[in-house]
Amino acid sequence: MEEEKKLDLNSIIGFVLIFGILIFWFYTTKPTPEELDAEKAKQEQVVEAEETTEEPSQPIEAKPQINLNDSTALAGYKSAVGAFGFTNVADQQTTLENDVVELKVANKGGQIVEAKMKKFVTYDSLPVYLVKDGNAEFAISFSTNDNRVLSTSELYFEPSLSKSGDNQVLSMKAKVSENQFLEYRYEMKPNEYLVDFTVRSQGLNGVLNSSRPVTLDWTTKARRRSKSVQYENRYTRLTYNHDGEKISKLSESSDLDEETEEDVKWLSYRQHFFSSILATDNHFKTAELLSKNLVEEETKEELFTKEYATKAPLELQGGELSYNMHWYHGPTDAQVLDDYKELGLVESIPFGWGIFGWINRHVFTPFYGFLSSFLPYGIAIIVMTIIVRLALSPVTYKSYLSQAKMKVLKPEITELNEKYKDNAMKKQQETMKLYRKAGVNPMSGCIPALLQLPIFYALFMFFPTSFALRQKSFLWADDLSSYDTIFNLPFTIPFYGDHVSLFPILASIAIFIYMTMTTGQSMQMQQQPGMPNMKFIMYLSPVMMLFFFNNYASGLSLYYFISNLITIFIMLVIKNYILDENKIHAQIQENKKKPKKENRFQKKMREMMEQAEAQKKTGKR
């Protein structure tokens, strides 16, 4: 008689745990449809060609304002600005560049007004700009001794470009006189994204009002550069180092998130695969941080994902400013950020939390980097998958062995279920006694599943955030860090999208075959009251894979497709060539003959069940 297709308790617990995490994760990071089409790409190319300038982004928190209707106040403000800066200097820009990045610094404000990546392009082949067309502003606000409030964004700085060895040095000075000035000093090294940035004043101890706060303000609107604005926005986040190397983040999904932190070392305005980071040797004593979500739904028109803002008070030393800082405008790439170990910038990458992040950071990231150094990127994923599955094969063996033992015990379990069908407590007692005599642990199938969870989650974070996969193609997938598309739908399916990805379909088929094989094991536990419908779970898992992974990195779907194929192969080998059910049955019978000593836990459980049974009988009387 053909065996019923059911799952045992061990597999049930394992799958419930794994898919419980999946459901929670996908609920909090809802997948979204593909965003930009060919028409949008053409429109942006026209915009780039014509150099159309957008409205400058407004700071999230307003600066001190002058009443424009008050002619006296307005005249005084203009007089103060004119005395402090070069109002007669043209609003020109000075360029700092090396082989990897090009920065343009404006005379007005002395700030970076354009940051261009020289080795990267967007998904539609446009240049990658982290700063452009007023999407970012850096300014220092201060008060003068005559109680006027000024912002460096309104001052004109005098540029002076020079060389220091192989480094380019740009000095920007807003002068009161030749010996009284506020200076921004930029020093760019060859082939590096990190630029040393010094803020200092000279001779202003009689100009700056030390009793009033000096405040650093930095705002940025993160530019969109991926096919789906919601997918990119999921990995766009403000991350910061504070309170003695603690790494914290503002919410990536809330409409508005604010925090005030102490002892801030660096701030990262992450824009998925690129970041703008401000680090300081003189830690900010406090910093008010804000992240505002600009994406409400999938749209073809949205050009920005989030708006970030930081407000940090600066301390005067002897009435003067002196801060050594660093600007980083570049890729969110572990290999690049690792070069700045003294600043710890690599921690701004979302590797994941706890042991999961450690595995991602120290195992998968360097291992995949090694494989992709001599293999095509898609082949490197397949090779990494094979090695991971082989490393986990002992765990798979343990799980399958547990299922095989449960299968052998099925006739006896069925007999107990029939014998004590009207006494659930007694049935449970006798079942546990049978397990103990046979030397079978019903939880042994769950433990292997738990051991694989760190691997599962680490890989779940690795593929969408690995810079090594960005814009790397494989077969029909144009970008392994984003979803693949084999067909565009003329409509949008909720939770699925307006496109069809093939790798998730293949992964769903593979997981369905795998679950069909595992449900062929003995599933006597399902017949107990309260157990879930395993046939429903068997169909639910592939459907979840199909829907939720349709909008995720194709590299992740490729991994699960290959991983499930390998697992199926390993299980077939174990079943047909390694395990012998007759030998397992004989071993179980031998185990029954041997006296079994209860451990403390088993004894406690038995006593509790006996006590409950006795109370039940007393209650009936």
Side-chain angles (χ1 to χ4, degrees), residues 12-66:
I12 294 172
I13 297 174
F15 282 117
V16 167
L17 287 170
I18 291 174
F19 287 110
I21 290 178
L22 267 175
I23 291 170
F24 174 77
W25 177 264
F26 288 123
Y27 178 78
T28 55
T29 56
K30 296 178 182 177
T32 56
E34 181 184 21
E35 181 161 54
L36 295 178
D37 54 12
E39 180 181 356
K40 177 61 182 176
K42 292 178 181 178
Q43 291 175 352
E44 286 199 345
Q45 289 173 351
V46 172
V47 171
E48 291 292 333
E50 295 178 352
E51 295 186 351
T52 302
T53 302
E54 301 176 57
E55 273 303 306
S57 63
Q58 293 299 319
I60 294 178
E61 185 165 348
K63 299 172 186 172
Q65 298 293 314
I66 298 295

Short mmCIF file of all heavy atoms in Angstrom, two decimals, residues 12-66:
data_model
loop_
_atom_site.label_atom_id
_atom_site.label_comp_id
_atom_site.label_asym_id
_atom_site.label_seq_id
_atom_site.Cartn_x
_atom_site.Cartn_y
_atom_site.Cartn_z
N ILE A 12 8.13 19.60 10.54
CA ILE A 12 7.12 20.65 10.77
C ILE A 12 7.73 21.80 11.55
O ILE A 12 7.64 22.97 11.16
CB ILE A 12 5.92 20.08 11.57
CG1 ILE A 12 5.18 19.03 10.73
CG2 ILE A 12 4.95 21.22 11.94
CD1 ILE A 12 4.11 18.31 11.52
N ILE A 13 8.38 21.48 12.67
CA ILE A 13 8.95 22.53 13.53
C ILE A 13 10.00 23.32 12.77
O ILE A 13 10.05 24.54 12.82
CB ILE A 13 9.55 21.91 14.80
CG1 ILE A 13 8.45 21.22 15.62
CG2 ILE A 13 10.25 22.97 15.64
CD1 ILE A 13 8.95 20.45 16.82
N GLY A 14 10.86 22.60 12.02
CA GLY A 14 11.91 23.28 11.26
C GLY A 14 11.33 24.24 10.25
O GLY A 14 11.75 25.40 10.15
N PHE A 15 10.35 23.77 9.48
CA PHE A 15 9.78 24.62 8.43
C PHE A 15 8.97 25.77 9.00
O PHE A 15 8.96 26.88 8.46
CB PHE A 15 8.92 23.80 7.47
CG PHE A 15 9.71 23.00 6.47
CD1 PHE A 15 9.66 21.63 6.46
CD2 PHE A 15 10.53 23.64 5.56
CE1 PHE A 15 10.41 20.91 5.55
CE2 PHE A 15 11.28 22.94 4.66
CZ PHE A 15 11.22 21.55 4.65
N VAL A 16 8.25 25.51 10.09
CA VAL A 16 7.48 26.59 10.71
C VAL A 16 8.42 27.70 11.18
O VAL A 16 8.15 28.89 11.00
CB VAL A 16 6.65 26.06 11.89
CG1 VAL A 16 6.10 27.21 12.73
CG2 VAL A 16 5.49 25.21 11.36
N LEU A 17 9.55 27.34 11.78
CA LEU A 17 10.51 28.34 12.23
C LEU A 17 11.08 29.13 11.06
O LEU A 17 11.15 30.36 11.07
CB LEU A 17 11.65 27.65 13.00
CG LEU A 17 11.29 27.14 14.41
CD1 LEU A 17 12.41 26.29 14.95
CD2 LEU A 17 11.01 28.30 15.33
N ILE A 18 11.51 28.40 10.02
CA ILE A 18 12.11 29.08 8.87
C ILE A 18 11.12 30.01 8.19
O ILE A 18 11.39 31.18 7.93
CB ILE A 18 12.66 28.05 7.87
CG1 ILE A 18 13.88 27.33 8.47
CG2 ILE A 18 13.06 28.72 6.56
CD1 ILE A 18 14.40 26.20 7.63
N PHE A 19 9.92 29.50 7.92
CA PHE A 19 8.96 30.32 7.18
C PHE A 19 8.30 31.36 8.07
O PHE A 19 7.81 32.37 7.58
CB PHE A 19 7.93 29.43 6.50
CG PHE A 19 8.48 28.69 5.32
CD1 PHE A 19 8.67 27.33 5.35
CD2 PHE A 19 8.88 29.39 4.19
CE1 PHE A 19 9.21 26.66 4.28
CE2 PHE A 19 9.42 28.73 3.11
CZ PHE A 19 9.59 27.37 3.14
N GLY A 20 8.33 31.14 9.39
CA GLY A 20 7.88 32.21 10.28
C GLY A 20 8.78 33.42 10.16
O GLY A 20 8.32 34.56 10.11
N ILE A 21 10.09 33.17 10.11
CA ILE A 21 11.04 34.28 9.91
C ILE A 21 10.83 34.92 8.55
O ILE A 21 10.86 36.14 8.40
CB ILE A 21 12.48 33.76 10.07
CG1 ILE A 21 12.75 33.42 11.53
CG2 ILE A 21 13.50 34.79 9.59
CD1 ILE A 21 14.11 32.85 11.80
N LEU A 22 10.61 34.08 7.54
CA LEU A 22 10.37 34.62 6.19
C LEU A 22 9.15 35.53 6.17
O LEU A 22 9.18 36.64 5.63
CB LEU A 22 10.17 33.47 5.20
CG LEU A 22 11.40 32.96 4.45
CD1 LEU A 22 11.04 31.76 3.62
CD2 LEU A 22 11.98 34.06 3.59
N ILE A 23 8.05 35.05 6.76
CA ILE A 23 6.81 35.83 6.75
C ILE A 23 7.02 37.16 7.46
O ILE A 23 6.61 38.22 6.98
CB ILE A 23 5.67 35.03 7.40
CG1 ILE A 23 5.30 33.83 6.52
CG2 ILE A 23 4.44 35.92 7.62
CD1 ILE A 23 4.35 32.85 7.18
N PHE A 24 7.67 37.11 8.64
CA PHE A 24 7.91 38.36 9.38
C PHE A 24 8.78 39.31 8.57
O PHE A 24 8.51 40.50 8.47
CB PHE A 24 8.58 38.05 10.71
CG PHE A 24 9.00 39.28 11.47
CD1 PHE A 24 8.06 40.04 12.15
CD2 PHE A 24 10.32 39.70 11.47
CE1 PHE A 24 8.44 41.17 12.84
CE2 PHE A 24 10.71 40.84 12.15
CZ PHE A 24 9.76 41.57 12.85
N TRP A 25 9.85 38.77 7.97
CA TRP A 25 10.77 39.63 7.21
C TRP A 25 10.06 40.27 6.02
O TRP A 25 10.16 41.46 5.78
CB TRP A 25 11.96 38.80 6.74
CG TRP A 25 12.90 39.61 5.91
CD1 TRP A 25 12.97 39.71 4.56
CD2 TRP A 25 13.93 40.47 6.40
NE1 TRP A 25 13.96 40.57 4.17
CE2 TRP A 25 14.56 41.06 5.28
CE3 TRP A 25 14.36 40.82 7.68
CZ2 TRP A 25 15.60 41.93 5.40
CZ3 TRP A 25 15.41 41.70 7.79
CH2 TRP A 25 16.01 42.25 6.67
N PHE A 26 9.33 39.46 5.27
CA PHE A 26 8.69 40.00 4.08
C PHE A 26 7.55 40.95 4.42
O PHE A 26 7.21 41.85 3.67
CB PHE A 26 8.18 38.87 3.19
CG PHE A 26 9.29 38.13 2.50
CD1 PHE A 26 9.44 36.77 2.67
CD2 PHE A 26 10.19 38.79 1.71
CE1 PHE A 26 10.45 36.09 2.05
CE2 PHE A 26 11.21 38.12 1.09
CZ PHE A 26 11.35 36.77 1.25
N TYR A 27 6.92 40.72 5.59
CA TYR A 27 5.85 41.64 5.99
C TYR A 27 6.40 43.02 6.29
O TYR A 27 5.79 44.03 6.00
CB TYR A 27 5.13 41.09 7.22
CG TYR A 27 4.03 41.99 7.74
CD1 TYR A 27 2.80 42.05 7.11
CD2 TYR A 27 4.25 42.81 8.85
CE1 TYR A 27 1.80 42.88 7.57
CE2 TYR A 27 3.27 43.64 9.32
CZ TYR A 27 2.03 43.67 8.68
OH TYR A 27 1.05 44.49 9.14
N THR A 28 7.59 43.07 6.93
CA THR A 28 8.19 44.36 7.29
C THR A 28 8.94 45.00 6.14
O THR A 28 9.24 46.18 6.17
CB THR A 28 9.14 44.20 8.48
OG1 THR A 28 10.11 43.20 8.16
CG2 THR A 28 8.38 43.79 9.71
N THR A 29 9.32 44.21 5.12
CA THR A 29 9.99 44.78 3.95
C THR A 29 9.25 44.30 2.71
O THR A 29 9.70 43.42 1.99
CB THR A 29 11.46 44.32 3.88
OG1 THR A 29 11.49 42.89 3.89
CG2 THR A 29 12.24 44.84 5.07
N LYS A 30 8.06 44.86 2.53
CA LYS A 30 7.21 44.40 1.45
C LYS A 30 7.89 44.55 0.09
O LYS A 30 8.39 45.61 -0.24
CB LYS A 30 5.90 45.19 1.44
CG LYS A 30 5.06 44.98 2.70
CD LYS A 30 3.82 45.82 2.64
CE LYS A 30 3.00 45.65 3.92
NZ LYS A 30 1.81 46.51 3.93
N PRO A 31 7.91 43.50 -0.73
CA PRO A 31 8.53 43.59 -2.06
C PRO A 31 7.71 44.48 -2.97
O PRO A 31 6.51 44.65 -2.78
CB PRO A 31 8.53 42.14 -2.54
CG PRO A 31 7.45 41.48 -1.77
CD PRO A 31 7.37 42.19 -0.46
N THR A 32 8.36 45.08 -3.94
CA THR A 32 7.72 46.07 -4.79
C THR A 32 7.98 45.80 -6.26
O THR A 32 8.92 45.12 -6.64
CB THR A 32 8.26 47.47 -4.45
OG1 THR A 32 9.67 47.44 -4.60
CG2 THR A 32 7.89 47.84 -3.04
N PRO A 33 7.15 46.37 -7.15
CA PRO A 33 7.32 46.11 -8.59
C PRO A 33 8.47 46.88 -9.18
O PRO A 33 8.99 47.82 -8.60
CB PRO A 33 5.98 46.58 -9.18
CG PRO A 33 5.45 47.54 -8.18
CD PRO A 33 5.94 47.10 -6.83
N GLU A 34 8.87 46.49 -10.38
CA GLU A 34 9.93 47.17 -11.13
C GLU A 34 9.48 48.57 -11.46
O GLU A 34 8.31 48.80 -11.72
CB GLU A 34 10.19 46.38 -12.42
CG GLU A 34 11.28 46.97 -13.27
CD GLU A 34 11.40 46.19 -14.55
OE1 GLU A 34 10.41 45.53 -14.88
OE2 GLU A 34 12.43 46.29 -15.19
N GLU A 35 10.43 49.50 -11.44
CA GLU A 35 9.99 50.90 -11.51
C GLU A 35 10.19 51.58 -12.84
O GLU A 35 9.23 51.93 -13.50
CB GLU A 35 10.69 51.70 -10.43
CG GLU A 35 10.23 53.12 -10.47
CD GLU A 35 10.50 53.82 -9.22
OE1 GLU A 35 11.65 53.80 -8.78
OE2 GLU A 35 9.57 54.37 -8.67
N LEU A 36 11.40 51.83 -13.25
CA LEU A 36 11.63 52.69 -14.41
C LEU A 36 11.58 51.91 -15.70
O LEU A 36 12.15 50.84 -15.79
CB LEU A 36 13.00 53.39 -14.30
CG LEU A 36 13.13 54.37 -13.15
CD1 LEU A 36 14.53 54.94 -13.12
CD2 LEU A 36 12.11 55.47 -13.25
N ASP A 37 10.93 52.47 -16.74
CA ASP A 37 10.88 51.83 -18.06
C ASP A 37 11.76 52.59 -19.03
O ASP A 37 12.44 53.56 -18.69
CB ASP A 37 9.43 51.76 -18.56
CG ASP A 37 8.78 53.14 -18.55
OD1 ASP A 37 9.52 54.14 -18.38
OD2 ASP A 37 7.55 53.21 -18.71
N ALA A 38 11.76 52.18 -20.32
CA ALA A 38 12.65 52.78 -21.32
C ALA A 38 12.34 54.25 -21.52
O ALA A 38 13.23 55.08 -21.72
CB ALA A 38 12.52 52.04 -22.64
N GLU A 39 11.06 54.59 -21.43
CA GLU A 39 10.69 56.00 -21.63
C GLU A 39 11.30 56.87 -20.56
O GLU A 39 11.78 57.97 -20.83
CB GLU A 39 9.17 56.12 -21.60
CG GLU A 39 8.68 57.55 -21.81
CD GLU A 39 7.17 57.65 -21.74
OE1 GLU A 39 6.52 56.59 -21.60
OE2 GLU A 39 6.65 58.76 -21.84
N LYS A 40 11.34 56.39 -19.31
CA LYS A 40 11.91 57.15 -18.21
C LYS A 40 13.40 57.35 -18.42
O LYS A 40 13.95 58.41 -18.16
CB LYS A 40 11.66 56.41 -16.89
CG LYS A 40 12.29 57.09 -15.67
CD LYS A 40 11.71 58.46 -15.48
CE LYS A 40 12.37 59.14 -14.31
NZ LYS A 40 11.91 60.51 -14.15
N ALA A 41 14.08 56.29 -18.92
CA ALA A 41 15.52 56.39 -19.17
C ALA A 41 15.82 57.46 -20.20
O ALA A 41 16.74 58.25 -20.06
CB ALA A 41 16.06 55.04 -19.63
N LYS A 42 14.98 57.49 -21.23
CA LYS A 42 15.19 58.51 -22.27
C LYS A 42 14.98 59.91 -21.70
O LYS A 42 15.70 60.85 -22.03
CB LYS A 42 14.23 58.26 -23.43
CG LYS A 42 14.54 56.97 -24.21
CD LYS A 42 13.52 56.76 -25.31
CE LYS A 42 13.80 55.46 -26.08
NZ LYS A 42 12.79 55.22 -27.12
N GLN A 43 13.95 60.05 -20.85
CA GLN A 43 13.68 61.35 -20.25
C GLN A 43 14.86 61.83 -19.41
O GLN A 43 15.25 63.00 -19.47
CB GLN A 43 12.43 61.28 -19.38
CG GLN A 43 11.14 61.10 -20.19
CD GLN A 43 9.94 60.92 -19.28
OE1 GLN A 43 10.08 60.78 -18.07
NE2 GLN A 43 8.76 60.94 -19.87
N GLU A 44 15.46 60.92 -18.62
CA GLU A 44 16.59 61.31 -17.80
C GLU A 44 17.80 61.66 -18.64
O GLU A 44 18.57 62.55 -18.30
CB GLU A 44 16.93 60.17 -16.83
CG GLU A 44 15.94 60.03 -15.70
CD GLU A 44 16.53 59.25 -14.55
OE1 GLU A 44 17.58 58.60 -14.73
OE2 GLU A 44 15.95 59.31 -13.46
N GLN A 45 17.99 60.95 -19.76
CA GLN A 45 19.10 61.27 -20.65
C GLN A 45 18.94 62.68 -21.21
O GLN A 45 19.89 63.43 -21.33
CB GLN A 45 19.18 60.25 -21.77
CG GLN A 45 19.68 58.88 -21.29
CD GLN A 45 19.60 57.83 -22.36
OE1 GLN A 45 19.04 58.07 -23.43
NE2 GLN A 45 20.17 56.68 -22.10
N VAL A 46 17.68 63.02 -21.54
CA VAL A 46 17.43 64.37 -22.04
C VAL A 46 17.71 65.39 -20.95
O VAL A 46 18.32 66.45 -21.18
CB VAL A 46 15.97 64.50 -22.53
CG1 VAL A 46 15.64 65.95 -22.86
CG2 VAL A 46 15.76 63.62 -23.75
N VAL A 47 17.28 65.05 -19.72
CA VAL A 47 17.53 65.96 -18.59
C VAL A 47 19.02 66.16 -18.38
O VAL A 47 19.50 67.27 -18.18
CB VAL A 47 16.88 65.40 -17.31
CG1 VAL A 47 17.32 66.21 -16.10
CG2 VAL A 47 15.36 65.44 -17.43
N GLU A 48 19.80 65.05 -18.43
CA GLU A 48 21.25 65.16 -18.26
C GLU A 48 21.88 65.98 -19.38
O GLU A 48 22.77 66.78 -19.17
CB GLU A 48 21.89 63.77 -18.22
CG GLU A 48 21.54 62.97 -16.98
CD GLU A 48 22.16 63.58 -15.76
OE1 GLU A 48 23.20 64.25 -15.88
OE2 GLU A 48 21.58 63.40 -14.67
N ALA A 49 21.40 65.74 -20.61
CA ALA A 49 21.99 66.42 -21.76
C ALA A 49 21.75 67.92 -21.70
O ALA A 49 22.60 68.73 -22.05
CB ALA A 49 21.43 65.85 -23.05
N GLU A 50 20.54 68.29 -21.25
CA GLU A 50 20.21 69.71 -21.21
C GLU A 50 20.66 70.37 -19.91
O GLU A 50 20.58 71.58 -19.75
CB GLU A 50 18.70 69.87 -21.36
CG GLU A 50 18.19 69.41 -22.71
CD GLU A 50 16.68 69.54 -22.83
OE1 GLU A 50 16.04 69.85 -21.81
OE2 GLU A 50 16.16 69.35 -23.92
N GLU A 51 21.16 69.53 -18.95
CA GLU A 51 21.64 70.03 -17.66
C GLU A 51 20.59 70.89 -16.97
O GLU A 51 20.83 72.00 -16.50
CB GLU A 51 22.93 70.82 -17.82
CG GLU A 51 24.08 69.98 -18.31
CD GLU A 51 25.38 70.75 -18.33
OE1 GLU A 51 25.31 71.97 -18.12
OE2 GLU A 51 26.42 70.14 -18.55
N THR A 52 19.38 70.35 -16.95
CA THR A 52 18.29 71.04 -16.27
C THR A 52 18.52 71.01 -14.78
O THR A 52 18.80 69.97 -14.22
CB THR A 52 16.95 70.35 -16.59
OG1 THR A 52 16.78 70.35 -18.00
CG2 THR A 52 15.79 71.08 -15.93
N THR A 53 18.38 72.12 -14.14
CA THR A 53 18.66 72.22 -12.71
C THR A 53 17.37 72.11 -11.92
O THR A 53 16.41 72.81 -12.19
CB THR A 53 19.32 73.57 -12.39
OG1 THR A 53 20.51 73.65 -13.17
CG2 THR A 53 19.65 73.68 -10.91
N GLU A 54 17.37 71.19 -10.93
CA GLU A 54 16.18 71.04 -10.09
C GLU A 54 16.18 72.10 -8.99
O GLU A 54 17.16 72.76 -8.74
CB GLU A 54 16.20 69.66 -9.43
CG GLU A 54 16.23 68.52 -10.42
CD GLU A 54 16.34 67.21 -9.66
OE1 GLU A 54 15.46 66.97 -8.81
OE2 GLU A 54 17.29 66.48 -9.92
N GLU A 55 15.02 72.23 -8.39
CA GLU A 55 14.94 73.11 -7.21
C GLU A 55 15.85 72.57 -6.13
O GLU A 55 15.82 71.39 -5.83
CB GLU A 55 13.52 73.13 -6.68
CG GLU A 55 12.55 74.15 -7.29
CD GLU A 55 13.01 75.57 -7.19
OE1 GLU A 55 13.33 76.02 -6.08
OE2 GLU A 55 13.09 76.23 -8.24
N PRO A 56 16.67 73.39 -5.52
CA PRO A 56 17.51 72.90 -4.41
C PRO A 56 16.62 72.37 -3.29
O PRO A 56 15.56 72.91 -3.02
CB PRO A 56 18.27 74.16 -3.97
CG PRO A 56 18.20 75.09 -5.14
CD PRO A 56 16.89 74.80 -5.81
N SER A 57 17.08 71.30 -2.67
CA SER A 57 16.30 70.71 -1.57
C SER A 57 16.29 71.66 -0.39
O SER A 57 17.27 72.31 -0.08
CB SER A 57 16.91 69.37 -1.16
OG SER A 57 18.20 69.59 -0.67
N GLN A 58 15.14 71.72 0.26
CA GLN A 58 15.01 72.59 1.43
C GLN A 58 15.46 71.83 2.65
O GLN A 58 15.14 70.66 2.82
CB GLN A 58 13.55 73.01 1.59
CG GLN A 58 13.05 73.91 0.48
CD GLN A 58 13.83 75.20 0.37
OE1 GLN A 58 14.15 75.80 1.39
NE2 GLN A 58 14.14 75.63 -0.83
N PRO A 59 16.23 72.46 3.52
CA PRO A 59 16.64 71.78 4.76
C PRO A 59 15.41 71.35 5.54
O PRO A 59 14.39 72.04 5.55
CB PRO A 59 17.43 72.85 5.52
CG PRO A 59 17.81 73.86 4.48
CD PRO A 59 16.74 73.82 3.43
N ILE A 60 15.52 70.24 6.20
CA ILE A 60 14.38 69.73 6.94
C ILE A 60 14.07 70.63 8.13
O ILE A 60 12.94 70.86 8.47
CB ILE A 60 14.67 68.29 7.41
CG1 ILE A 60 14.77 67.40 6.17
CG2 ILE A 60 13.59 67.78 8.33
CD1 ILE A 60 15.10 65.97 6.49
N GLU A 61 15.12 71.16 8.73
CA GLU A 61 14.91 72.07 9.85
C GLU A 61 15.39 73.45 9.42
O GLU A 61 16.51 73.63 8.99
CB GLU A 61 15.67 71.60 11.09
CG GLU A 61 15.36 72.47 12.28
CD GLU A 61 15.82 71.79 13.56
OE1 GLU A 61 16.15 70.61 13.52
OE2 GLU A 61 15.85 72.49 14.57
N ALA A 62 14.51 74.43 9.51
CA ALA A 62 14.81 75.75 8.99
C ALA A 62 15.91 76.43 9.79
O ALA A 62 16.05 76.23 10.99
CB ALA A 62 13.56 76.62 9.02
N LYS A 63 16.71 77.21 9.06
CA LYS A 63 17.76 77.99 9.73
C LYS A 63 17.15 79.30 10.24
O LYS A 63 16.05 79.68 9.84
CB LYS A 63 18.86 78.30 8.72
CG LYS A 63 19.52 77.06 8.16
CD LYS A 63 20.44 77.46 7.04
CE LYS A 63 21.00 76.22 6.37
NZ LYS A 63 21.74 76.54 5.17
N PRO A 64 17.89 80.03 11.07
CA PRO A 64 17.40 81.32 11.52
C PRO A 64 17.13 82.22 10.33
O PRO A 64 17.94 82.32 9.42
CB PRO A 64 18.55 81.86 12.39
CG PRO A 64 19.27 80.64 12.83
CD PRO A 64 19.15 79.66 11.72
N GLN A 65 15.97 82.83 10.32
CA GLN A 65 15.55 83.63 9.17
C GLN A 65 15.60 85.12 9.50
O GLN A 65 15.38 85.55 10.63
CB GLN A 65 14.12 83.25 8.75
CG GLN A 65 13.99 81.79 8.29
CD GLN A 65 14.74 81.55 7.01
OE1 GLN A 65 14.65 82.33 6.06
NE2 GLN A 65 15.49 80.47 6.97
N ILE A 66 15.89 85.91 8.44
CA ILE A 66 15.83 87.37 8.56
C ILE A 66 14.49 87.83 8.01
O ILE A 66 14.03 87.36 6.97
CB ILE A 66 16.97 88.02 7.73
CG1 ILE A 66 18.33 87.58 8.30
CG2 ILE A 66 16.85 89.53 7.73
CD1 ILE A 66 18.60 88.06 9.70
#
